[in-house]
Amino acid sequence: KGRLVCVNHGVDVGRTVTYISNVGIARYVDFLDPLNRLDLLHEYQRADVVADQFIIGPGLTTWEALSTGKPVLVKANPELSTPLYDKDQPPLLDCASEKQIASQLARVSDSAYRKEVGEIGREWVLRNHSPQAVVSSIVTNSETALRQ
């Protein structure tokens, strides 16, 4: 069976540990001490799926995990991403509710699906977060602001 690996970091760690214990899955969960950036990237590479925030939405974890070709479970939050990415929205596995989390977990149990979604995510990061894409966006936004 699968394992859940969590980093022992953040304001909700205590509640997470309690919840995991209460639902009886502690034997399937490993907690890692906080990691430096390189070690965290290696953990993403070892993972089948990465989970980010289910309340606020995508953070750095999302973009880094997508860059390693991993599908990401996260609250998609299109209110924040639409102005940034317009028609090229990030390929996220939306998890804004318990029902969505359960549904997405069922979907990512299929290794072919995970691979496909991971590849799409990596391609998206390269299109939207490569140095060329970032510089182009900065120049375009600056020129637009200066014309106003």
Side-chain angles (χ1 to χ4, degrees), residues 33-79:
D33 289 332
L35 304 167
N36 65 45
R37 184 68 51 217
L38 181 58
D39 290 340
L40 189 57
L41 288 170
H42 285 298
E43 288 299 325
Y44 295 154
Q45 284 185 318
R46 281 193 276 279
D48 290 323
V49 178
V50 175
D52 198 355
Q53 304 174 51
F54 295 156
I55 296 175
I56 298 170
L60 185 57
T61 296
T62 294
W63 313 133
E64 288 179 340
L66 287 175
S67 78
T68 65
K70 301 302 175 176
V72 179
L73 303 168
V74 62
K75 179 180 178 182
N77 206 343
E79 301 84 32

Side-chain angles (χ1 to χ4, degrees), residues 3 14 19 22 43 54 83-84 111 120 123-124 136 147:
R3 306 264 329 140
Y19 181 78
N22 288 345
E43 288 299 325
F54 295 156
L84 296 171
S111 62
I120 290 168
E123 291 168 7
W124 182 89
S136 176
R147 281 194 296 267

Side-chain angles (χ1 to χ4, degrees), residues 68-110:
T68 65
K70 301 302 175 176
V72 179
L73 303 168
V74 62
K75 179 180 178 182
N77 206 343
E79 301 84 32
L80 295 177
S81 62
T82 298
L84 296 171
Y85 303 110
D86 194 28
K87 295 179 177 90
D88 192 10
Q89 291 297 299
L92 306 175
L93 303 179
D94 194 13
C95 289
S97 69
E98 289 181 20
K99 184 176 180 180
Q100 285 178 308
I101 294 168
S103 173
Q104 296 292 12
L105 285 171
R107 292 175 74 194
V108 298
S109 67
D110 177 349

